[in-house]
Amino acid sequence: MVFLSNAVSNDRIAKSNENGDLHHDAVSTTIYGSRWASQDIPRFIPLFERSDLFSLFLIVRSNFFFKIDVAYRLIKDDLALDGNPALNLATFVTTYMEEEAEKLMAENLSKNFIDYEEYPQSVELSNRCVNMLARLFNAPMHSEEEESLGCSTVGSSEAIILATLAMKRRWQNARKEKGLSTENPNLVLGANCQVAWHKATRYLEIESREVGCTEELLYMDPHKAVDLVDENTIGVCAILGSTYTGHYEDVQTLNTLLEAKNDANEWDVGIHVDAASGGFVVPFVAPDLEWDFRLSRVVSINVSGHKYGMTYAGIGWALWRSPEYLPKSLIFNINYLGSDQASFTLNFSKGAAHVIAQYYIMIRLGRSGFTKIMRNLTDTADHLADKLKNTGRFEIMSEGGGRGLPLVAFRLKEEQVYNEFDISSKLRERGWIVPAYTMAPNVEHIKMLRVVVREDFSRSRCEILVRDIVAALHFLDSADNNQIEKRRENHVKHAHSALHSRNPSKFFSKEEEEELQSEEKKTASQGIC
C-alpha cells in the first residue's frame, strides 16, 4: 500500500505560527533549540486587564507564558547553580531522607495542618510525636494534672519565640499578683546563642543579658549566668549544642545554682533548654547526661526535627514541663474550621507533610535506629578530628567522644599569610561548603572552620574532604600575600552573596543604624567579667 504525504506550504506554516503553534513538519528540536532558550526567564509578573485581549495576545506572543515542560526545564537549569546539599557541611539541616519518606511528604503536600477537623489523622500523628518527645526528654509522667504538653512549629526559631513568650507572660502574671512592676524583663543566656534568641528578645522587648565567652570557655559559664539573675529575670537559656563549637552547656550545674538562688530570694526563675541540635543526639549517645525535665528547674525545651531529627527543613517542636508553664492567656480557642481546637503558634497555616515525615522517622528508626546513626556520626566526627589534628596544622575547638555534637570545629594552629576564610573559599572550588566564621562577641578575634557531620556524611566522603583540605593547604602555602589579597578581593566582588548583601541605609536611617549598633555592642558586653 502506498502512502502519500503533502509537501507543507509556506502559507500553512505561517498560519500555524500565527496561532501560536509550531508545525511538527516545520520545526523539530529540543527546548534548547526553541525560542524560549534564547530569552531570559521573566523577572516580573506580567500585568494586563482581563478585557484587554490585544495586550493578552501580545503577552502570549512575547513568551511571558511558558509551556509546562519549558518552564520546568528552564527553572531546573537555574537551580542547578545552587550548591550540592550533600556537600553543604555548613548546615545542621537534614539533606537526606529515604524515598518512602519523600513519597509520604509528596502525597500530603496539599494538607493544611491547622485544619484539625479536615485532617484529624495528621493531627493525631503530631500528638504521637509530642508524646514520644516528652518521654525522650524525661517529662514527669506521675500525674494527669501535670502532664507535659507541646506543639509542632515551623522550626526552632518559632519554638524559641513561643517559649520566650510563655516565660515572659508567666513572669508578668506572677508580678501582677504581687502588685509589682512588670517593666524591664530580662533573659539570661550565653553570647554564643543562635540569632533566633536575638530575634526573640528584640521582638518581645526583653533585655538580653548575655554571658560573655572567653578563650578558655567558648560557651556559657553557669556561675556567671546565675550571677546575672535578678527579680526581673524571666528565665535562663542553656544551649545543648552550641552553634559555634557544638559544646553542651552544663545544665545540671546551672539547675543546682539556680535552685539555691531561687530559694534564697523566693523567686521562681526557670530554665529553657535550646536543644535545637542536641535534643535528638544526647538521648542516644549520652543518655546519662542530665539536661532535660529530670532537672527541677527545666520548664521548657525546643528541638529541631529538621536537624538531627533527620526530617527535611520545616519542622520543630516546643515542649513544656506542665500546663502551669504555658499561660492559658496565650492559647487561642477557635471553632471556625469545623471543630473546637486550641492554637498556640505564630503562623496559622502550615503544611502537614513535615509532621508526617517526622513521625515516619521516629517509628521507622526507634531508639535502636537513632542510637546506631548517632553513634556512627560521632565516630565519623572523631575520625575527622583525628585526621585534621594529624596534619599538624589545625587545633580542634570542639568536643569529641560524644561530649558534644557530631561536628568538628577547627582553626589554624599558627599564623599564615592566609586564614580560615581563604581555606573555605578554596574548598568551595571543589564543591565543598565549609563555613569559616568568627566566634561570639568578646572572642571574635578567633576564626575557625566547622564541619557538621550529618547522616549522609559517610566515612569515604570524610576521607575525600580531608584530602581536599590538605590540597587546599598546599595551594595556599605556595601563594604569597599579594595573591591571597587578590583572591579575597575577587571573592568579595563576585560572590553570589554580594548580590544579596544588606545595605543598612536602605532599611534604617543613619541615627537608627547607629542606635542599633550601640544596642548590639551593649548587649554583647552584658555579663563580661
Side-chain angles (χ1 to χ4, degrees):
M1 189 173 185
V2 178
F3 290 93
L4 298 176
S5 300
N6 284 18
V8 181
S9 67
N10 291 338
D11 181 58
R12 187 139 65 98
I13 292 173
K15 287 178 180 177
S16 294
N17 288 340
E18 285 177 6
N19 293 329
D21 301 326
L22 292 176
H23 197 284
H24 67 276
D25 284 334
V27 177
S28 179
T29 186
T30 67
I31 289 171
Y32 301 107
S34 70
R35 60 179 184 246
W36 288 290
S38 63
Q39 300 176 14
D40 196 9
I41 298 177
R43 298 182 184 277
F44 307 100
I45 191 168
L47 302 176
F48 59 91
E49 297 291 334
R50 288 180 180 274
S51 59
D52 191 348
L53 296 179
F54 180 68
S55 294
L56 178 60
F57 171 74
L58 290 178
I59 289 168
V60 172
R61 288 299 301 274
S62 62
N63 302 321
F64 276 103
F65 294 121
F66 285 80
K67 293 172 63 181
I68 294 173
D69 58 332
V70 175
Y72 170 79
R73 173 51 59 180
L74 294 185
I75 293 172
K76 181 174 181 176
D77 287 353
D78 258 13
L79 294 174
L81 296 173
D82 276 345
N84 181 346
L87 301 184
N88 182 3
L89 306 181
T91 184
F92 289 87
V93 176
T94 299
T95 54
Y96 163 80
M97 290 189 78
E98 293 174 322
E99 289 183 10
E100 290 77 8
E102 293 179 342
K103 186 178 179 183
L104 272 174
M105 293 182 76
E107 291 169 350
N108 290 278
L109 283 174
S110 60
K111 291 182 180 178
N112 184 0
F113 178 74
I114 205 66
D115 288 343
Y116 287 21
E117 180 69 16
E118 188 71 20
Y119 309 116
Q121 207 55 34
S122 295
V123 176
E124 170 58 21
L125 298 191
S126 178
N127 293 339
R128 294 176 191 174
C129 287
V130 169
N131 270 272
M132 291 178 185
L133 288 171
R135 284 166 169 77
L136 188 65
F137 299 158
N138 295 291
M141 293 292 165
H142 59 275
S143 167
E144 184 177 343
E145 290 72 27
E146 297 178 26
E147 288 178 347
S148 62
L149 67 166
C151 62
S152 65
T153 60
V154 175
S156 272
S157 291
E158 182 185 5
I160 283 168
I161 293 175
L162 293 176
T164 304
L165 181 59
M167 287 189 288
K168 180 182 179 182
R169 182 61 57 88
R170 186 168 180 271
W171 172 81
Q172 288 173 325
N173 292 344
R175 298 280 290 180
K176 285 176 182 177
E177 286 179 8
K178 297 176 181 178
L180 300 174
S181 170
T182 59
E183 295 180 358
N184 304 316
N186 68 69
L187 177 73
V188 177
L189 69 170
N192 59 309
C193 63
Q194 210 257 7
V195 69
W197 285 101
H198 294 144
K199 291 180 180 179
T201 54
R202 190 175 298 175
Y203 294 170
L204 299 176
E205 298 183 318
I206 298 167
E207 177 193 354
S208 178
R209 293 190 173 180
E210 298 186 7
V211 178
C213 299
T214 65
E215 291 191 14
E216 294 73 33
L217 194 65
L218 297 175
Y219 50 96
M220 186 179 74
D221 182 331
H223 295 85
K224 292 180 181 179
V226 174
D227 286 344
L228 292 175
V229 172
D230 62 21
E231 63 178 346
N232 289 331
T233 301
I234 65 171
V236 182
C237 166
I239 302 173
L240 194 73
S242 171
T243 297
Y244 292 95
T245 58
H247 283 96
Y248 301 142
E249 293 182 342
D250 189 351
V251 191
Q252 191 169 21
T253 298
L254 178 64
N255 187 84
T256 302
L257 296 171
L258 194 56
E259 277 280 26
K261 191 157 189 176
N262 279 329
D263 289 344
N265 295 278
E266 297 184 351
W267 294 339
D268 187 19
V269 180
I271 299 171
H272 174 87
V273 180
D274 179 0
S277 300
F280 276 108
V281 178
V282 177
F284 308 108
V285 176
D288 294 331
L289 179 65
E290 293 191 14
W291 62 273
D292 51 20
F293 292 123
R294 283 172 289 184
L295 301 176
S296 58
R297 281 287 142 192
V298 174
V299 300
S300 52
I301 297 172
N302 70 276
V303 66
S304 289
H306 60 222
K307 291 186 178 178
Y308 287 107
M310 295 184 288
T311 306
Y312 288 145
I315 183 68
W317 303 91
L319 288 93
W320 287 267
R321 184 184 197 87
S322 67
E324 93 173 84
Y325 298 103
L326 178 54
K328 291 182 180 179
S329 60
L330 296 176
I331 301 172
F332 291 84
N333 293 287
I334 61 172
N335 64 5
Y336 49 73
L337 290 176
S339 66
D340 293 322
Q341 61 188 69
S343 175
F344 182 44
T345 60
L346 294 180
N347 194 65
F348 195 62
S349 293
K350 69 176 178 182
H354 289 81
V355 172
I356 295 166
Q358 181 74 85
Y359 181 66
Y360 169 89
I361 289 295
M362 293 176 81
I363 67 166
R364 162 77 176 88
L365 297 176
R367 284 184 178 269
S368 174
F370 266 103
T371 299
K372 290 175 181 176
I373 291 172
M374 295 307 159
R375 286 183 177 169
N376 268 349
L377 300 187
T378 300
D379 290 344
T380 299
D382 289 346
H383 177 75
L384 174 59
D386 288 340
K387 285 281 190 177
L388 293 173
K389 195 185 300 181
N390 291 340
T391 65
R393 307 291 292 275
F394 295 111
E395 178 183 357
I396 306 302
M397 308 298 290
S398 49
E399 281 280 6
R403 295 180 299 276
L405 292 176
L407 62 79
V408 181
F410 57 105
R411 64 171 175 168
L412 288 165
K413 287 178 73 172
E414 300 172 0
E415 284 243 1
Q416 309 282 347
V417 294
Y418 56 88
N419 60 28
E420 289 80 359
F421 288 86
D422 299 313
I423 297 173
S424 175
S425 175
K426 186 62 183 173
L427 287 173
R428 188 65 189 260
E429 295 175 11
R430 284 281 291 160
W432 298 108
I433 302 174
V434 177
Y437 54 94
T438 55
M439 262 302 296
N442 202 46
V443 285
E444 56 266 85
H445 60 280
I446 298 177
K447 305 182 189 73
M448 64 180 75
L449 296 147
R450 187 192 69 210
V451 172
V452 177
V453 178
R454 298 188 308 275
E455 184 185 7
D456 57 342
F457 188 73
S458 63
R459 185 63 63 92
S460 59
R461 186 171 289 172
C462 174
E463 296 292 349
I464 296 171
L465 173 64
V466 172
R467 184 192 67 192
D468 287 344
I469 289 174
V470 171
L473 289 173
H474 288 163
F475 172 85
L476 293 168
D477 284 338
S478 66
D480 59 32
N481 190 57
N482 187 47
Q483 290 172 305
I484 296 294
E485 285 299 328
K486 283 184 177 180
R487 276 182 60 86
R488 291 173 184 169
E489 290 173 12
N490 188 65
H491 177 74
V492 171
K493 185 176 180 180
H494 299 290
H496 285 283
S497 57
L499 299 173
H500 309 289
S501 61
R502 186 180 75 138
N503 177 7
S505 61
K506 182 177 179 181
F507 302 104
F508 304 104
S509 67
K510 185 177 179 181
E511 293 76 16
E512 288 174 326
E513 185 66 21
E514 289 174 352
E515 182 182 343
L516 189 62
Q517 289 175 354
S518 174
E519 180 186 335
E520 288 175 343
K521 287 179 182 177
K522 180 182 175 183
T523 297
S525 65
Q526 289 280 359
I528 304 298
C529 297

